[in-house]
Amino acid sequence: MQKQPQWKDRFNEIVQVCQEEIKRTTEIGKKMLSASKTNTMLHESYEELGALTFKALEDGTLEFDDPRVKELVNTIRSCEFDLEKIESDVNDIKKNS
């Protein structure tokens, strides 16, 4: 008869350990989700700041003498041109289908 209560105690102990682990995992998941959302917001903010800075550089309201900034501006211009060309090519392919 003593074996059954010991078994029940052990089962309850295992259930409790599992519940605690699930709570910990849930908390970690919540933190990871929050970190992911924050990281996305940070990335979007950097991206918007970069776009605004680029626009200001283009219209002359902001000037940088840094060679890396000039290199990045030229890369952006080149990428924009390439993307426009790719989009035009894709549209042509769609029209000819």
Side-chain angles (χ1 to χ4, degrees), residues 37-54:
K37 288 179 181 179
T38 301
N39 191 44
T40 298
M41 188 184 313
L42 176 63
H43 175 76
E44 289 171 352
S45 296
Y46 274 133
E47 189 173 325
E48 185 176 351
L49 178 61
L52 291 172
T53 301
F54 178 74

Side-chain angles (χ1 to χ4, degrees), residues 2 4 14 17-18 20 27-28 31 39 46-47 49 59 62 70 78 90:
Q2 284 184 331
Q4 191 171 2
I14 290 171
V17 168
C18 288
E20 289 173 8
E27 285 301 311
I28 290 170
K31 294 292 182 185
N39 191 44
Y46 274 133
E47 189 173 325
L49 178 61
D59 66 21
L62 178 64
K70 291 177 182 178
S78 176
V90 168

Side-chain angles (χ1 to χ4, degrees), residues 50 53-59 62-64 66-81:
T53 301
F54 178 74
K55 183 179 177 192
L57 287 167
E58 284 287 286
D59 66 21
L62 178 64
E63 291 187 23
F64 275 104
D66 189 307
R68 179 66 180 142
V69 171
K70 291 177 182 178
E71 183 181 329
L72 289 169
V73 166
N74 288 333
T75 299
I76 290 169
R77 287 179 183 148
S78 176
C79 288
E80 286 177 342
F81 176 81

Side-chain angles (χ1 to χ4, degrees), residues 1 8 11 33 36-37 52 54 56-57 67 76 85 90 97:
M1 288 264 199
K8 285 182 179 180
F11 178 77
L33 184 58
S36 177
K37 288 179 181 179
L52 291 172
F54 178 74
L57 287 167
I76 290 169
K85 176 72 171 117
V90 168
S97 297

